[in-house]
């Protein structure tokens, strides 16, 4: 299965890819000028990498979970992806990504942190699948 992970933000959309259970690669983030342009750019990436499924990060368990699910569902409708869509808890993924970038020039907002956050989201999802397939 080939997966694309999405960390949906207001300014950038972080992206990561995996075609192997243990290897996840951050991709170049999409700068978000507006929803339609961001959806088109994300669709191009999904098509280019021939993804079978998309894993979208959302904050789970909080008061904003329902609202975020609605926004993500709307965005994915714009993307017009026909494969499976999975939701994965993204809690603290941006903080983890920033910690991984310590020592880098993290003041530059070029999307690296967003895509590393997407990578963390996809790693969590793949670990969850691996664990559930063993039981």
């Amino acid at each position: 299965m080939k997966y694309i992970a999405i960390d949906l933000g207001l300014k950038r959309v972080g992206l990561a890819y995996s075609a192997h259970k243990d290897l996840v690669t951050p991709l170049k983030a999409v700068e978000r000028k507006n929803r339609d342009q961001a959806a088109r750019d994300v669709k191009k990436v999904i098509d280019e990498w021939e993804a079978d499924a998309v894993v979208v990060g959302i904050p789970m368990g909080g008061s904003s979970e329902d609202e975020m699910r609605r926004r993500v569902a709307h965005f994915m409708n714009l993307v017009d992806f026909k494969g499976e869509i999975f939701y994965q808890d993204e809690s603290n993924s941006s903080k983890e990504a920033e910690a991984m970038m310590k020592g880098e020039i993290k003041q530059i907002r070029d999307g690296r942190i967003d895509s590393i956050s997407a990578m963390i989201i996809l790693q969590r999802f793949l670990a969850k699948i691996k664990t559930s397939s063993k039981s």
Side-chain angles (χ1 to χ4, degrees):
M1 246 335 228
K2 295 178 189 171
Y3 296 95
I4 291 283
I6 297 175
D7 180 30
L8 193 57
L10 296 173
K11 294 183 180 158
R12 281 170 299 281
V13 180
L15 299 168
Y17 171 78
S18 179
H20 184 275
K21 289 186 280 276
D22 299 314
L23 185 63
V24 179
T25 306
L27 302 174
K28 187 175 183 340
V30 167
E31 288 293 324
R32 184 175 173 161
K33 295 169 186 72
N34 62 60
R35 261 193 313 232
D36 293 334
Q37 161 271 324
R40 274 193 312 275
D41 290 353
V42 167
K43 175 78 169 141
K44 280 183 206 159
V45 172
I46 291 170
D47 291 346
E48 179 184 333
W49 290 89
E50 300 174 346
D52 304 302
V54 169
V55 179
V56 186
I58 59 167
M60 293 189 178
S63 58
S64 64
E65 181 178 345
D66 289 340
E67 174 65 14
M68 286 308 294
R69 279 185 187 266
R70 191 185 62 69
R71 286 182 184 184
V72 166
H74 177 71
F75 182 79
M76 290 310 295
N77 272 341
L78 294 174
V79 171
D80 193 31
F81 177 65
K82 302 296 183 216
E84 280 191 275
I85 299 172
F86 299 98
Y87 297 104
Q88 175 62 43
D89 189 7
E90 68 171 17
S91 301
N92 297 318
S93 60
S94 293
K95 286 188 179 84
E96 276 183 53
E98 285 178 18
M100 290 172 84
M101 293 286 289
K102 282 269 191 274
E104 300 283 332
I105 308 168
K106 68 175 198 190
Q107 290 80 7
I108 298 175
R109 292 286 177 199
D110 63 358
R112 274 184 283 187
I113 287 176
D114 305 276
S115 288
I116 289 173
S117 183
M119 177 186 82
I120 291 166
I121 290 164
L122 188 48
Q123 286 170 334
R124 289 178 185 173
F125 177 78
L126 294 172
K128 188 171 70 177
I129 289 178
K130 215 187 230 181
T131 305
S132 66
S133 69
K134 287 180 182 173
S135 33

